Amino acid sequence: MLMNPRGSVLVVGGGIAGVQAALDLAESGYYVHLVERRPAIGGAMAKLDKTFPTNDCSACILSPKLVECGRNLNINLLTLSELISLDGEPGDFKAVVRQHPRYVDTTKCIACGLCAEKCPKKTKNGFNMGLSERKAVYLMYPQAVPLKYAIDPDECIWLKRPGRCGACANVCPAGAINFDDVPKDHVFEVGSVVLALGFSLFDPSGLDFTGYRRIPNVVTAMEFERLLSPSGPCLGRMERPSDGKEPRRIAWLQCVGSRDTNRACRGYCSSVCCMYAIKQALIAREHAGGALDAHIFFMDIRTHGKGFEAYYNRAVQEGVRFHRSKVHSVIPADEGTLLIRYADEAGRMCEEEFDLVVLSVGMELNHEAVALIDRLGVGFNKDGFVLTSPFSPVSTSRPGVFVCGAAQEPKDIPQSVMEASAAALEAGRLLSPARWTETKAKEFPPERNVRPEPPRIGVFVCHCGINIASVVDVKAVTEYARGLPGVVFAQDNLFTCSQDTINQMAETIRRERLNRVVVASCSPRTHEPLFQETLREAGINKHLFEMANIRDQDSWVHRDEPQKATRKAMDLVRMAVAKVRGDGPLPYSSVPVTKSALVVGAGVAGMTAAVAIADQGFKVFIVERKDRLGGHARKFYRTWQGFEVQPYLEELAKTVSSHPNIELHLKSTVTEAFGSVGRFKTSLSDGSVIEHGVAIIAIGGESFKPREGKWNYLYGRHPAVHTLLELDRRFIAADEGLNGLSQAVFIHCVGSRVPERPYCSRVCCTHAIDQALKLKELNPEMAIFMLYRDIRTYGMRERLYEEARAKGIIFVRYDLDHLPEVSDDGGRLVVKAHDMILDRPVMFHPDLLVLASGVVPRDDAGGLAGFFKCAMDQDGFLLEAHMKLRPVDFATEGVFLAGLCHYPKPMDESIAQAKAAAARAVTILSRDAVSVESMTAYVDTAKCTGCAVCTQICPYAAINIDQDTGRAVVDIGLCKGCGACAASCRSGAVSVKNLGNEQIMAAIESAMDMADVW
């Protein structure tokens, strides 16, 4: 923490990581300058068709965050801009940002599109990867934020030859075209900087064997994303570039520009390619109605993220074919088809013919990002990404400058979002004395009193690209809505959540004097807050709103029955209209925030989160069931980068123990928890009762102990059989018994990727290889064998795999049909395995057998999750609110998670997640009050008999019996409007606001009205 720092932060990069960092900082009390070099924010995620494994439309789930960012009063969005220089020290930087001319005045542009319509100059559309054309004046993509046109100076006829053309200026009704626009330099005084520079995709045109750029039906993975996308060149219809025909056989080639030091000079793994290829194969099969023959050619399948292994297994079950192979070449064949020559696992040369080949290209930093990092004096690692340390995973080599996302290492969306929050935490941590000093408060217009007005309902029906419109006749639904009672306005939109439609919706509400709004689109889980805020900006109460989910509940589940799906969409809209007619405005409630945090678990994640919060002046209570700090990390020898864990752990524990804002409760557990965001009350086994505003669950996990069954391998019965952590203990103790060993065997995936635990434990491959290298240090002549299924040294960890092979460690693959066998021959270990390449058995006689056992959730995780009303997944790990965009939040507001209780992960990722959880917690703790649910229960005291059934049934302890009246009363700060009390009340005394019998029965009767007709 610094004295008198600036209260603003510079965030460089407007992809999902930069947007998340900016939003977290703005919510925590800092003013943010968000700098993006393109005309709009969104980054690579805006180009994706769908996300995995949730199958959400990528643009749809991204759009609310982008719109929120673009509308936030405390985020200064500068597009077409770049950071030129950064001088000064942490807390007091001076940044020079150059904003390049847009040639369109954003204060005047109404995004009508007339300029692009009349522009005569066409050029390749970079957003569509050059697969289509755009005009010289263009909108980056349909949901762009800001939704403003820009002129490409390299293509514009007027800018290249002034006086020629000018068609755009002639037709623009707002006079927004400004050919005299010039670069502008802005000087910002900021306290810290976050680099969210994103990535570029590897250009495979230099790899002759792929045929890229020479053969039209060879495309990169991002080009294929655009071919699939409803906003892409084919409008969602899958076509091959050469002739527009729908491909029936597609091949994906993995590791193009990754794990290749000879041809591509990129030795690292890009981490995401295996998963996006599997996703594309499954989605392409959906587009083709299951008729597509999809093949993936790979070296190792790396599905190491949460839910990823299950997605891979699903692909196998649904008929995607996987070839472990080495591709030799892609050759043109007849009628636009392509011949792939490859060597299979046994070394046999094979050939197969395909209609389309997709290259799964890797990630790298683009040259502009490299130049910027160099100018800032920030260090690079050996693979050309931003240098960080495992114990400070978002801190660069320059103090006060932090990094997140793929600029630090190739990674997927959840990890990028997580790191963005962690970087926001570190950036804000420096500046906490200046919190709220440079921010503005948002003010809404006075709300119109609609109570005396008859219902004037507006219905907005969304195409959602083709997510809805490919199944449901959206225009027919819109026309149907116009005739419903109370509806005075109905409109269909390509993307209802896009910025222009949101602005248009607010204007329509004002112009048409609407007093109720129905949006028929996707999930209220992701979009309801966005639309509700739009109502407030239009001057009506946000609770006069209803969503009809015609995507998740209709088009996605009735894909093969478009007529019935259209009728169902009409039913859902009719029910929503009937329900919203009876809705009334509700007051906005808030509760004061108890400015303290509870952290459950004192491992590395828990301690990191606690210190991060306590350093900003907030009280933190740590609850730990054991008698000392450290958790699982006490068993680890070193990180995969070679940093010893125990010295770091001891220093962290010392900081926690001596911190004036941290109170420790060792040998204690949570016995009860009540309350809601801002004011929780938790009881502990030591008799303490803690009041806190937020909670972070960081209870860790356990290492799997193969005590019995086919995964036992003589563990616990032979002294030479160890788990990874047991071998780590011997390294920590500098056990002399490890010297002089002649042979070691490691067996991977012990207890992971098996029917009982079908997930990948993420850390085992790297940990095992690092231990093997340590054994090689101790015994250079030692023979070491790795029995593995897939080596998953993702990201920079691939360097360990390279080093292991270079030092003679031998890798032998097995599968579940040929498990290794371990026996005891008179005290001597015998390990038998089936070599998949040689197709013959092999035998080893190791002095040491190491079982790479996986991570399992703690047995008591479910009980703790129940106290805080948090969900768990099918594997027993705690379930985040949204896998991609809310990876550290629970669905229960004010409760967050970090570390192994979320999913197996290495220490650097646990630390980043802990800081992310702390960042999300601080967005609440930094406020004096937080909004709470308005749709709460209420009691008709004339009907209430005081039976107290509602008090027993309420999961939030929000209802009590008043001692004076003997009637039930509701604490609106605790009530979540779940309706359990209303359902259980025998006398009908309890109802939920806007969800009473009137509204529910109106919707039901509306559904029944047309049942006979359909």
Side-chain angles (χ1 to χ4, degrees), residues 515-793:
N515 54 32
R516 308 274 192 293
V517 172
V518 170
V519 171
S521 61
C522 54
S523 172
R525 182 170 60 96
T526 54
H527 287 66
E528 186 176 53
L530 172 66
F531 296 127
Q532 287 184 326
E533 185 171 339
T534 302
L535 266 65
R536 293 195 70 183
E537 291 180 345
I540 64 174
N541 189 276
K542 74 175 187 178
H543 297 290
L544 300 169
F545 172 79
E546 187 69 22
M547 282 189 77
N549 190 343
I550 63 171
R551 185 194 67 176
D552 303 38
Q553 296 175 2
D554 191 8
S555 65
W556 278 4
V557 291
H558 305 296
R559 188 175 298 277
D560 299 325
E561 299 178 294
Q563 290 185 338
K564 291 182 178 179
T566 299
R567 291 173 182 171
K568 183 176 179 179
M570 293 175 181
D571 288 345
L572 292 170
V573 169
R574 187 176 66 258
M575 292 171 69
V577 168
K579 192 264 180 188
V580 83
R581 273 200 303 270
D583 287 348
L586 300 179
Y588 302 123
S589 304
S590 63
V591 296
V593 173
T594 303
K595 292 183 176 289
S596 60
L598 173 71
V599 177
V600 185
V604 166
M607 289 193 291
T608 298
V611 172
I613 295 172
D615 278 352
Q616 299 183 63
F618 302 109
K619 181 74 175 179
V620 181
F621 302 92
I622 297 182
V623 178
E624 169 56 46
R625 63 174 178 165
K626 295 185 178 178
D627 59 357
R628 63 175 184 170
L629 306 173
H632 215 54
R634 288 200 170 275
K635 304 172 185 177
F636 283 93
Y637 171 54
R638 67 184 184 187
T639 69
W640 68 268
Q641 300 97 325
F643 293 83
E644 290 193 14
V645 170
Q646 297 311 306
Y648 163 76
L649 189 61
E650 292 303 323
E651 186 63 30
L652 179 60
K654 182 179 177 182
T655 300
V656 168
S657 299
S658 61
H659 203 294
N661 290 331
I662 295 178
E663 181 180 308
L664 285 172
H665 292 263
L666 299 178
K667 299 177 69 176
S668 301
T669 57
V670 173
T671 58
E672 204 168 26
F674 297 102
S676 60
V677 58
R679 52 175 191 176
F680 290 102
K681 184 178 288 186
T682 299
S683 300
L684 306 182
S685 59
D686 65 4
S688 303
V689 177
I690 295 171
E691 295 184 355
H692 53 102
V694 296
I696 295 177
I697 311 301
I699 58 173
E702 305 282 359
S703 58
F704 174 67
K705 296 293 195 329
R707 300 193 186 281
E708 56 186 26
K710 58 185 174 182
W711 317 114
N712 175 247
Y713 299 121
L714 297 185
Y715 175 76
R717 293 184 285 158
H718 194 289
V721 181
H722 297 60
T723 64
L724 293 172
L725 291 182
E726 289 167 352
L727 182 56
D728 263 359
R729 289 197 198 102
R730 296 184 68 179
F731 286 141
I732 293 169
D735 187 344
E736 293 291 334
L738 294 175
N739 298 325
L741 297 178
S742 62
Q743 187 181 106
V745 170
F746 288 75
I747 301 178
H748 290 238
C749 294
V750 175
S752 293
R753 301 181 65 198
V754 296
E756 300 91 330
R757 281 165 296 279
Y759 55 89
C760 168
S761 286
R762 195 173 177 91
V763 297
C764 325
C765 287
T766 304
H767 196 174
I769 292 174
D770 181 59
Q771 287 189 340
L773 289 169
K774 177 62 179 177
L775 289 173
K776 274 286 189 181
E777 291 174 24
L778 298 175
N779 308 289
E781 301 304 316
M782 186 178 191
I784 301 178
F785 300 90
M786 293 275 177
L787 307 185
Y788 76 101
R789 292 173 60 195
D790 291 281
I791 293 296
R792 294 185 169 178
T793 47

